[in-house]
Amino acid sequence: MTDPVTAPLPGAAAPVCSAKGCRVAAVWVLAWNNPKLHAPERRKTWLACEEHREHLSRFLGARGFLKDVVTLADWEGRDGGQEPEGSAADR
């Protein structure tokens, strides 16, 4: 029997990688900001699986947008558990 206290909420999905077409569970958070559009302290986020972390990091880094790469667990711990925003569609 499932414990109603620890059971996942109905419809709640685990965060998935932001890479186009990838549906693998996210492990990394790539915090970024486009200085032409966003205030310096603003951080948008993409999520990445192990396979796509380097690719997405290079994409953001080449444009000077990448600010930080941390594990999803660390991000949730320091961010009060808020769900990261954004996706690869934000490109």
Side-chain angles (χ1 to χ4, degrees):
M1 181 169 188
T2 304
D3 179 359
V5 175
T6 59
L9 296 173
V16 297
C17 180
S18 298
K20 185 175 182 179
C22 185
R23 303 310 330 141
V24 175
V27 179
W28 297 96
V29 174
L30 287 66
W32 64 278
N33 146 317
N34 180 340
K36 292 182 181 179
L37 301 176
H38 307 123
E41 67 280 355
R42 173 129 188 235
R43 292 295 180 264
K44 297 199 47 100
T45 56
W46 284 354
L47 301 176
C49 64
E50 286 292 343
E51 180 181 349
H52 292 112
R53 182 184 86 148
E54 187 63 32
H55 171 74
L56 293 174
S57 293
R58 280 194 315 267
F59 180 91
L60 292 168
R63 290 153 180 80
F65 296 173
L66 187 62
K67 303 299 180 193
D68 200 8
V69 178
V70 297
T71 65
L72 180 58
D74 286 346
W75 183 267
E76 289 175 335
R78 76 175 182 190
D79 200 40
Q82 293 180 337
E83 185 174 319
E85 63 178 87
S87 71
D90 291 333
R91 291 185 209 164

